[in-house]
Amino acid sequence: EPEVTQTPSHQVTQMGQEVILRCVPISNHLYFYWYRQILGQKVEFLVSFYNNEISEKSEIFDDQFSVERPDGSNFTLKIRSTKLEDSAMYFCASSSRTRTVYGYTFGSGTRLTVV
Amino acid sequence: SQQGEEDPQALSIQEGENATMNCSYKTSINNLQWYRQNSGRGLVHLILIRSNEREKHSGRLRVTLDTSKKSSSLLITASRAADTASYFCAALGGSNTGKLIFGQGTTLQVKP
């Protein structure tokens, strides 16, 4: 069964440093997403991406965040200057269409720890 | 309160019993999805029910949707210790962006 792959599985970074979280969505999917989950809390939407541009972003997704699909296969989330409160599990997801019958496929997540 | 409220927040049952989790949402939806998450791990899609459906089955899972009450329930029958996990509902709204709004989740513990 096709999978969404995320790397790294765990990243520790110092406050103020830039991090790039990487995702390889399912190859024939066209819609890509990032979500995050702070420990013990619910999963929160960050951003959706279609046709090489952001289609929606949440209030969390401020100027410190950016997404890119640099080469047609990878989908990245960059946090320019990390803060302690950015510590969370970050999930990438993809779907074949927004009103999908089959649901999304989520990756297994990257646990980001900012120290 | 926010879209995607679930109850109970925690549920503890014996193996073999049924587990029922409820979810309520605020706005109109295109579909509602249920996900499972083992502790500290990724989200696994379980089942999706569209807004024009009232009930759906998949193995030991049964999902209902009541759009008039803006609520859904997930029933796991004949639970097993391996069903121990957190379960989240996620509502897909009417926008074209595919944004999912997740509930707070129900933590299910199935005791052997």
Side-chain angles (χ1 to χ4, degrees):
Chain A
E1 190 169 328
E3 289 185 344
V4 173
T5 306
Q6 288 187 245
T7 55
S9 57
H10 191 181
Q11 176 142 8
V12 181
T13 188
Q14 294 223 324
M15 193 167 55
Q17 294 295 306
E18 173 183 287
V19 294
I20 297 176
L21 310 183
R22 301 179 193 281
C23 169
V24 179
I26 292 173
S27 60
N28 63 350
H29 283 185
L30 301 176
Y31 298 86
F32 314 109
Y33 314 89
W34 284 99
Y35 289 79
R36 80 171 187 189
Q37 184 183 32
I38 294 171
L39 186 64
Q41 298 187 23
K42 67 178 180 180
V43 178
E44 299 173 291
F45 170 80
L46 290 179
V47 66
S48 59
F49 191 86
Y50 169 70
N51 201 24
N52 282 320
E53 61 183 25
I54 290 172
S55 46
E56 186 173 356
K57 60 183 180 180
S58 71
E59 312 84 60
I60 303 167
F61 195 90
D62 61 22
D63 292 345
Q64 294 299 312
F65 291 86
S66 62
V67 289
E68 198 176 36
R69 189 159 159 80
D71 56 12
S73 62
N74 291 287
F75 180 51
T76 62
L77 174 69
K78 181 192 291 186
I79 309 174
R80 287 191 186 81
S81 177
T82 50
K83 303 170 194 156
L84 294 175
E85 54 265 36
D86 293 327
S87 294
M89 183 79 97
Y90 288 81
F91 294 106
C92 173
S94 68
S95 69
S96 56
R97 49 195 165 117
T98 54
R99 294 169 190 257
T100 179
V101 176
Y102 303 108
Y104 292 14
T105 303
F106 279 83
S108 55
T110 293
R111 181 171 298 283
L112 176 66
T113 304
V114 182
V115 297
Chain B
S1 57
Q2 295 182 21
Q3 175 135 304
E5 300 286 339
E6 290 178 68
D7 75 88
Q9 290 190 341
L11 183 60
S12 181
I13 59 175
Q14 293 294 135
E15 212 166 23
E17 293 180 340
N18 295 341
T20 300
M21 290 160 264
N22 302 298
C23 166
S24 62
Y25 57 92
K26 297 289 185 185
T27 61
S28 62
I29 61 169
N30 179 277
N31 65 55
L32 191 130
Q33 305 173 26
W34 285 88
Y35 288 85
R36 169 194 166 122
Q37 184 182 37
N38 284 45
S39 180
R41 307 296 293 273
L43 294 161
V44 176
H45 178 256
L46 294 176
I47 194 166
L48 178 153
I49 186 165
R50 284 179 267 186
S51 59
N52 61 352
E53 296 176 314
R54 292 297 167 258
E55 187 171 313
K56 203 160 182 182
H57 297 255
S58 176
R60 293 185 295 114
L61 303 180
R62 173 177 166 250
V63 170
T64 62
L65 180 66
D66 186 336
T67 52
S68 66
K69 294 180 180 176
K70 291 187 166 56
S71 67
S72 174
S73 67
L74 172 68
L75 168 67
I76 303 174
T77 60
S79 63
R80 305 166 182 166
D83 294 329
T84 295
S86 291
Y87 292 83
F88 295 90
C89 68
L92 179 67
S95 76
N96 288 324
T97 64
K99 172 182 173 182
L100 285 176
I101 303 293
F102 279 82
Q104 297 280 0
T106 294
T107 300
L108 173 66
Q109 181 185 31
V110 181
K111 300 175 188 173

